[in-house]
Amino acid sequence: MLSKSRFLAGLQCPLSLWYLCFKPELATPVSPFQQALFDTGHEVGLLAARRFESGMLIAEDYLHHQEAVRKTHSAMADEDIKALFEPAFLEDDIRIRVDVLERAERSKWNLIEVKSTASVKEIHEFDVAVQYRVLRDAGLDIARVYLMHLNNKYVYGGTELNLKGLFTLFDLTAQARSLQNEIDRKLKALKTMLGKAQPPNIAPSKHCTSPYLCRFWEHCTREMSENWVMNLHGITHKKIDQLEAAGVTTIDEIPETFPLTQIQERQKQCIDFACDYISDKLASQLLDVEYPLHFLDFETVAPALPHYARTRPFQTIPFQWSDHILGKDGTLDHHEYLCMEDKDPQAEFAQTLLSTLGETGTIFIWAPYERRIITELSERFPNLNLELNALLPRLNDLNAIIRKNYYHRNFNGSFSLKAVLPALVPDMDYAALEIQEGATASLEYLRFLNAKTPAAEKENIKSNLMTYCGFDTLAMVHIREALLQRVNKK
Ligand code: SF4
């Protein structure tokens, strides 16, 4: 039996569906970050249901689908019930739970899919189209099909969420109807595929990450060379297709005539000749600075549901910064800020930031993210506008300097801090940290704010957050040093 989520997985890759049905143990376990996304989706779904009057929840879980289908039918027969939440259907071996089924005029129904996103994506069209097909097979007359998503222009007043403003309805009726033939074709093909004892022969490629990173990615790519063409920096789908068609699987096999970007060309050269690339301008770009040098990093959260007054869904809210300060005499100092209370941290964040950065010194950042946050803070706090804007000319993006002037073959096509650090400073290892990436830091911060989190655990989270953010900025200090050493050896 197919569920909607399995059908959508099969749409992305039939092999993924086959694994889900017959070898689910090969999937990478759901990460805390993914679980948090599911939990947010659930929370948003509950809020969306409150927009409908005289509704009824079909509460039976997925293990009791038949019972849920029976309850759904009896609820639909009761005309006093104007909306059903999580109604269940099973037709032609496909089972679905609809987020909201709203009674429309003349015995018709509106199908409403709720998403905790800020926009409609292509996959949502297939999502509602397969539900439309099951409802149609169940004999329902569907008036309209909607996607209800969060409205990221809505500004929270600070007391109660205004559900009318919080959600946006997007009409997908035409898309759901026009996709029916394709849904039929896909369902037929997937069912045939599932009838076979052997998995389909599909190699990992561009389809594995779009629209979602497949849960079998680690399994399918476990034997791939680090020089796999998918690791070519910024490779486009078109180039992947061309290389696959030519039978090229690794970067060293790419023919010289194949068009590559400047960075891709460098990457290939570094692999072919087992060398690093260092441009003549690297030293001057690293040394064109004013002391003291600041190495700055921010941590932020972007909750789907606004939590503080005057904030919007998915608004980025900075809650932590770390600043390593390198003096001309080589002394290294460290300042940091982490908001410890459940309050909008932005004003305090901005004030403490201005205080640590002072009025002089180059500020190294990693990627344009910090620049964007400072600009947003300057717009939000007109009283700090001048001082915050004065920071902008002092920012120097270390990541951009590296992209333009340096490549190490162990970057494997990535310029993320997590890829650059081990190649240049092997002694520093994120693996030793409890928090190893920004998404986890955001989640842990939300857990830190949660009143239900025990005090001892909060202390742990606080310490882990400080260690992580401080590690990022210390990593930047050492990366710059390592680059200067390499320039000197050249
Ligand atoms: S990793 Fe790629 S090839 Fe493997 S099952 Fe997933 S989508 Fe298919």
Side-chain angles (χ1 to χ4, degrees):
M1 190 186 303
L2 273 181
S3 63
K4 181 189 81 172
S5 58
R6 286 190 174 188
F7 169 72
L8 294 175
L11 218 53
Q12 179 170 349
C13 173
L15 177 58
S16 163
L17 173 60
W18 196 92
Y19 279 154
L20 279 171
C21 293
F22 304 115
K23 292 270 178 194
E25 68 278 9
L26 298 179
T28 303
V30 172
S31 69
F33 181 68
Q34 288 165 323
Q35 187 56 51
L37 289 181
F38 297 150
D39 293 346
T40 299
H42 183 65
E43 197 183 345
V44 169
L46 291 177
L47 270 177
R50 283 178 29 203
R51 267 191 59 157
F52 300 87
E53 288 172 7
S54 306
M56 175 181 166
L57 172 69
I58 306 298
E60 282 69 20
D61 66 14
Y62 73 99
L63 293 173
H64 302 89
H65 195 81
Q66 292 286 11
E67 182 56 20
V69 172
R70 272 193 290 278
K71 284 260 176 75
T72 297
H73 283 303
S74 65
M76 286 171 65
D78 182 347
E79 298 220 342
D80 289 337
I81 297 173
K82 303 297 181 201
L84 277 79
F85 311 127
E86 296 291 319
F89 297 88
L90 172 59
E91 295 295 328
D92 193 20
D93 248 6
I94 310 165
R95 67 183 205 177
I96 59 165
R97 300 298 288 258
V98 178
D99 285 339
V100 183
L101 198 57
E102 181 186 36
R103 205 176 282 279
E105 289 176 351
R106 297 193 294 278
S107 305
K108 294 188 179 189
W109 296 88
N110 292 329
L111 157 61
I112 300 158
E113 172 69 17
V114 180
K115 293 288 181 207
S116 54
T117 58
S119 61
V120 181
K121 302 180 184 352
E122 192 187 352
I123 188 69
H124 297 155
E125 297 180 4
F126 285 93
D127 186 319
V128 293
V130 71
Q131 295 184 64
Y132 181 92
R133 137 100 196 220
V134 173
L135 294 181
R136 192 197 61 191
D137 287 356
L140 273 71
D141 194 352
I142 300 298
R144 309 300 309 167
V145 177
Y146 294 108
L147 191 100
M148 185 187 270
H149 64 79
L150 292 165
N151 168 18
N152 61 2
K153 302 277 185 301
Y154 164 72
V155 180
Y156 175 46
T159 49
E160 201 175 332
L161 288 166
N162 172 348
L163 299 181
K164 279 218 168 85
L166 180 65
F167 288 102
T168 296
L169 269 182
F170 193 92
D171 194 325
L172 285 176
T173 313
Q175 291 88 333
R177 287 184 180 144
S178 70
L179 281 171
Q180 288 310 302
N181 286 343
E182 194 168 346
I183 293 280
D184 283 347
R185 271 199 309 279
K186 298 275 186 196
L187 279 170
K188 205 169 157 200
L190 290 174
K191 283 180 179 174
T192 306
M193 182 272 299
L194 286 176
K196 299 193 171 150
Q198 292 303 316
N201 184 12
I202 298 173
S205 183
K206 62 187 186 198
H207 68 278
C208 305
T209 53
S210 175
Y212 306 111
L213 175 63
C214 174
R215 290 191 55 208
F216 299 97
W217 172 258
E218 282 182 26
H219 171 73
C220 288
T221 59
R222 67 198 181 285
E223 287 171 0
M224 287 298 176
S225 149
E226 56 189 23
N227 295 335
W228 183 25
V229 287
M230 287 285 284
N231 288 341
L232 191 64
H233 176 77
I235 189 164
T236 59
H237 285 188
K238 189 175 162 200
K239 280 188 183 172
I240 293 170
D241 287 342
Q242 289 168 342
L243 290 171
E244 281 179 355
V248 173
T249 55
T250 56
I251 294 168
D252 49 300
E253 292 170 353
I254 296 175
E256 277 185 15
T257 50
F258 191 80
L260 296 176
T261 65
Q262 192 179 47
I263 292 180
Q264 289 170 347
E265 189 63 53
R266 261 178 222 160
Q267 184 180 356
K268 179 166 163 49
Q269 297 262 323
C270 289
I271 290 169
D272 289 350
F273 300 105
C275 64
D276 303 351
Y277 167 80
I278 304 179
S279 97
D280 292 339
K281 293 184 186 147
L282 179 60
S284 62
Q285 298 216 355
L286 292 171
L287 294 170
D288 182 15
V289 292
E290 181 192 20
Y291 281 89
L293 306 186
H294 296 267
F295 294 83
L296 184 68
D297 184 57
F298 298 163
E299 298 305 328
T300 61
V301 279
L305 296 172
H307 188 57
Y308 303 117
R310 294 175 56 228
T311 63
R312 293 172 277 103
F314 300 108
Q315 180 173 329
T316 306
I317 298 179
F319 62 86
Q320 180 181 16
W321 55 254
S322 167
D323 179 23
H324 269 94
I325 306 164
L326 183 64
K328 200 163 191 177
D329 58 359
T331 52
L332 189 62
D333 205 358
H334 183 226
H335 295 172
E336 61 192 329
Y337 166 80
L338 171 62
C339 182
M340 310 283 194
E341 297 165 50
D342 189 3
K343 65 175 186 185
D344 186 341
Q346 296 180 92
E348 202 170 84
F349 179 99
Q351 279 151 358
T352 53
L353 183 69
L354 286 168
S355 155
T356 187
L357 294 175
E359 292 180 2
T360 53
T362 299
I363 304 166
F364 279 106
I365 52 174
W366 191 267
Y369 193 64
E370 277 68 23
R371 181 182 294 277
R372 193 194 106 196
I373 299 294
I374 291 172
T375 305
E376 286 174 2
L377 286 170
S378 75
E379 287 160 5
R380 187 173 170 91
F381 299 107
N383 57 325
L384 301 176
N385 180 286
L386 277 180
E387 288 169 89
L388 286 166
N389 280 334
L391 299 177
L392 299 178
R394 293 167 55 197
L395 298 178
N396 197 352
D397 186 345
L398 185 57
N399 180 274
I401 293 175
I402 295 173
R403 275 171 193 269
K404 278 191 206 134
N405 300 289
Y406 184 77
Y407 190 82
H408 189 292
R409 59 196 179 283
N410 291 349
F411 287 178
N412 291 329
S414 169
F415 289 93
S416 75
L417 198 47
K418 277 79 190 169
V420 170
L421 182 67
L424 287 172
V425 191
D427 292 347
M428 288 187 78
D429 190 354
Y430 277 94
L433 305 185
E434 287 293 326
I435 296 175
Q436 297 173 11
E437 30 100 42
T440 309
S442 303
L443 278 184
E444 286 297 274
Y445 183 63
L446 293 176
R447 222 157 59 79
F448 174 78
L449 295 181
N450 191 330
K452 290 183 192 148
T453 305
E457 212 173 320
K458 284 192 177 208
E459 276 307 305
N460 260 343
I461 296 172
K462 184 177 133 192
S463 156
N464 292 339
L465 282 168
M466 287 180 152
T467 304
Y468 170 66
C469 197
F471 193 88
D472 272 353
T473 49
L474 188 61
M476 287 159 65
V477 174
H478 289 301
I479 285 172
R480 179 173 172 274
E481 271 171 16
L483 287 170
L484 285 170
Q485 281 167 11
R486 278 161 202 257
V487 170
N488 289 336
K489 274 195 209 150
K490 194 180 162 191

